[in-house]
mmCIF file of all heavy atoms in Angstrom:
data_model
loop_
_atom_site.group_PDB
_atom_site.id
_atom_site.type_symbol
_atom_site.label_atom_id
_atom_site.label_comp_id
_atom_site.label_asym_id
_atom_site.label_seq_id
_atom_site.Cartn_x
_atom_site.Cartn_y
_atom_site.Cartn_z
ATOM 1 N N SER B 95 77.316 122.087 64.084
ATOM 2 C CA SER B 95 77.406 121.289 65.317
ATOM 3 C C SER B 95 76.155 121.454 66.173
ATOM 4 O O SER B 95 75.477 122.481 66.111
ATOM 5 C CB SER B 95 78.602 121.749 66.159
ATOM 6 O OG SER B 95 79.807 121.332 65.583
ATOM 7 N N SER B 96 75.898 120.451 66.987
ATOM 8 C CA SER B 96 74.822 120.553 67.970
ATOM 9 C C SER B 96 75.260 119.900 69.276
ATOM 10 O O SER B 96 76.108 119.015 69.289
ATOM 11 C CB SER B 96 73.541 119.898 67.448
ATOM 12 O OG SER B 96 73.784 118.559 67.072
ATOM 13 N N ILE B 97 74.658 120.386 70.359
ATOM 14 C CA ILE B 97 74.983 119.933 71.722
ATOM 15 C C ILE B 97 73.715 119.355 72.338
ATOM 16 O O ILE B 97 72.625 119.885 72.113
ATOM 17 C CB ILE B 97 75.440 121.130 72.587
ATOM 18 C CG1 ILE B 97 76.652 121.831 71.982
ATOM 19 C CG2 ILE B 97 75.665 120.707 74.032
ATOM 20 C CD1 ILE B 97 77.987 121.233 72.293
ATOM 21 N N PHE B 98 73.883 118.292 73.119
ATOM 22 C CA PHE B 98 72.716 117.655 73.742
ATOM 23 C C PHE B 98 73.173 116.950 75.009
ATOM 24 O O PHE B 98 74.371 116.867 75.267
ATOM 25 C CB PHE B 98 72.066 116.650 72.763
ATOM 26 C CG PHE B 98 73.060 115.958 71.876
ATOM 27 C CD1 PHE B 98 73.707 114.831 72.316
ATOM 28 C CD2 PHE B 98 73.395 116.491 70.617
ATOM 29 C CE1 PHE B 98 74.656 114.217 71.515
ATOM 30 C CE2 PHE B 98 74.356 115.875 69.824
ATOM 31 C CZ PHE B 98 74.988 114.732 70.272
ATOM 32 N N ASP B 99 72.195 116.456 75.781
ATOM 33 C CA ASP B 99 72.556 115.799 77.032
ATOM 34 C C ASP B 99 72.919 114.328 76.787
ATOM 35 O O ASP B 99 72.747 113.800 75.686
ATOM 36 C CB ASP B 99 71.443 115.955 78.077
ATOM 37 C CG ASP B 99 70.169 115.233 77.681
ATOM 38 O OD1 ASP B 99 70.209 114.019 77.386
ATOM 39 O OD2 ASP B 99 69.108 115.892 77.658
ATOM 40 N N SER B 100 73.405 113.677 77.841
ATOM 41 C CA SER B 100 73.913 112.311 77.720
ATOM 42 C C SER B 100 72.808 111.314 77.378
ATOM 43 O O SER B 100 73.070 110.310 76.714
ATOM 44 C CB SER B 100 74.591 111.896 79.026
ATOM 45 O OG SER B 100 75.685 112.752 79.286
ATOM 46 N N ALA B 101 71.595 111.547 77.825
ATOM 47 C CA ALA B 101 70.505 110.612 77.520
ATOM 48 C C ALA B 101 70.168 110.680 76.027
ATOM 49 O O ALA B 101 69.976 109.649 75.376
ATOM 50 C CB ALA B 101 69.277 110.923 78.364
ATOM 51 N N MET B 102 70.109 111.887 75.476
ATOM 52 C CA MET B 102 69.849 112.006 74.042
ATOM 53 C C MET B 102 71.001 111.417 73.237
ATOM 54 O O MET B 102 70.807 110.788 72.196
ATOM 55 C CB MET B 102 69.615 113.466 73.647
ATOM 56 C CG MET B 102 69.210 113.619 72.200
ATOM 57 S SD MET B 102 68.906 115.325 71.706
ATOM 58 C CE MET B 102 67.273 115.576 72.377
ATOM 59 N N SER B 103 72.225 111.593 73.743
ATOM 60 C CA SER B 103 73.390 111.074 73.042
ATOM 61 C C SER B 103 73.287 109.558 72.868
ATOM 62 O O SER B 103 73.512 109.026 71.777
ATOM 63 C CB SER B 103 74.654 111.430 73.829
ATOM 64 O OG SER B 103 75.794 111.005 73.149
ATOM 65 N N PHE B 104 72.925 108.868 73.942
ATOM 66 C CA PHE B 104 72.791 107.411 73.836
ATOM 67 C C PHE B 104 71.460 107.014 73.225
ATOM 68 O O PHE B 104 71.328 105.913 72.690
ATOM 69 C CB PHE B 104 73.065 106.753 75.194
ATOM 70 C CG PHE B 104 74.531 106.742 75.495
ATOM 71 C CD1 PHE B 104 75.113 107.772 76.213
ATOM 72 C CD2 PHE B 104 75.345 105.745 74.988
ATOM 73 C CE1 PHE B 104 76.481 107.803 76.441
ATOM 74 C CE2 PHE B 104 76.716 105.769 75.208
ATOM 75 C CZ PHE B 104 77.281 106.798 75.932
ATOM 76 N N GLY B 105 70.502 107.918 73.265
ATOM 77 C CA GLY B 105 69.255 107.678 72.539
ATOM 78 C C GLY B 105 69.506 107.598 71.043
ATOM 79 O O GLY B 105 69.029 106.677 70.367
ATOM 80 N N MET B 106 70.296 108.502 70.525
ATOM 81 C CA MET B 106 70.561 108.476 69.072
ATOM 82 C C MET B 106 71.442 107.277 68.703
ATOM 83 O O MET B 106 71.371 106.766 67.587
ATOM 84 C CB MET B 106 71.145 109.801 68.573
ATOM 85 C CG MET B 106 72.508 110.155 69.047
ATOM 86 S SD MET B 106 73.067 111.799 68.452
ATOM 87 C CE MET B 106 72.012 112.929 69.356
ATOM 88 N N ILE B 107 72.242 106.809 69.654
ATOM 89 C CA ILE B 107 73.037 105.596 69.414
ATOM 90 C C ILE B 107 72.112 104.371 69.396
ATOM 91 O O ILE B 107 72.145 103.568 68.468
ATOM 92 C CB ILE B 107 74.135 105.454 70.489
ATOM 93 C CG1 ILE B 107 75.232 106.511 70.259
ATOM 94 C CG2 ILE B 107 74.729 104.049 70.493
ATOM 95 C CD1 ILE B 107 76.188 106.702 71.425
ATOM 96 N N ARG B 108 71.255 104.243 70.411
ATOM 97 C CA ARG B 108 70.352 103.076 70.469
ATOM 98 C C ARG B 108 69.381 103.054 69.297
ATOM 99 O O ARG B 108 69.034 101.991 68.787
ATOM 100 C CB ARG B 108 69.561 103.081 71.784
ATOM 101 C CG ARG B 108 70.253 102.386 72.932
ATOM 102 C CD ARG B 108 69.270 102.092 74.044
ATOM 103 N NE ARG B 108 68.606 103.307 74.477
ATOM 104 C CZ ARG B 108 69.062 104.113 75.433
ATOM 105 N NH1 ARG B 108 70.159 103.815 76.086
ATOM 106 N NH2 ARG B 108 68.414 105.201 75.748
ATOM 107 N N ALA B 109 68.925 104.235 68.885
ATOM 108 C CA ALA B 109 67.955 104.315 67.788
ATOM 109 C C ALA B 109 68.621 104.205 66.418
ATOM 110 O O ALA B 109 67.960 104.367 65.391
ATOM 111 C CB ALA B 109 67.160 105.610 67.896
ATOM 112 N N GLN B 110 69.917 103.941 66.410
ATOM 113 C CA GLN B 110 70.686 103.698 65.177
ATOM 114 C C GLN B 110 70.688 104.891 64.232
ATOM 115 O O GLN B 110 70.687 104.744 63.014
ATOM 116 C CB GLN B 110 70.183 102.439 64.469
ATOM 117 C CG GLN B 110 70.273 101.208 65.359
ATOM 118 C CD GLN B 110 70.148 99.903 64.600
ATOM 119 O OE1 GLN B 110 69.500 99.845 63.562
ATOM 120 N NE2 GLN B 110 70.777 98.869 65.113
ATOM 121 N N LYS B 111 70.688 106.089 64.807
ATOM 122 C CA LYS B 111 70.853 107.290 63.982
ATOM 123 C C LYS B 111 72.326 107.481 63.611
ATOM 124 O O LYS B 111 72.631 108.214 62.681
ATOM 125 C CB LYS B 111 70.358 108.532 64.726
ATOM 126 C CG LYS B 111 68.940 108.431 65.243
ATOM 127 C CD LYS B 111 67.941 108.296 64.106
ATOM 128 C CE LYS B 111 66.522 108.169 64.640
ATOM 129 N NZ LYS B 111 65.552 107.901 63.558
ATOM 130 N N ILE B 112 73.209 106.861 64.383
ATOM 131 C CA ILE B 112 74.646 106.926 64.085
ATOM 132 C C ILE B 112 74.947 105.786 63.108
ATOM 133 O O ILE B 112 74.631 104.629 63.372
ATOM 134 C CB ILE B 112 75.474 106.792 65.381
ATOM 135 C CG1 ILE B 112 75.063 107.877 66.400
ATOM 136 C CG2 ILE B 112 76.975 106.867 65.081
ATOM 137 C CD1 ILE B 112 75.236 109.304 65.932
ATOM 138 N N ASP B 113 75.550 106.138 61.960
ATOM 139 C CA ASP B 113 75.715 105.165 60.885
ATOM 140 C C ASP B 113 76.840 104.174 61.136
ATOM 141 O O ASP B 113 76.771 103.031 60.697
ATOM 142 C CB ASP B 113 76.004 105.909 59.567
ATOM 143 C CG ASP B 113 74.854 106.814 59.192
ATOM 144 O OD1 ASP B 113 73.805 106.290 58.785
ATOM 145 O OD2 ASP B 113 74.984 108.044 59.335
ATOM 146 N N LEU B 114 77.887 104.622 61.789
ATOM 147 C CA LEU B 114 79.078 103.795 61.910
ATOM 148 C C LEU B 114 79.780 104.060 63.238
ATOM 149 O O LEU B 114 79.932 105.214 63.641
ATOM 150 C CB LEU B 114 80.037 104.110 60.753
ATOM 151 C CG LEU B 114 81.397 103.414 60.755
ATOM 152 C CD1 LEU B 114 81.249 101.900 60.643
ATOM 153 C CD2 LEU B 114 82.263 103.939 59.605
#
Side-chain angles (χ1 to χ4, degrees):
Chain B
S95 287
S96 55
I97 302 276
F98 34 85
D99 66 54
S100 299
M102 186 179 281
S103 183
F104 284 92
M106 67 183 69
I107 288 166
R108 272 196 304 271
Q110 302 196 331
K111 306 296 179 186
I112 304 301
D113 299 288
L114 176 63

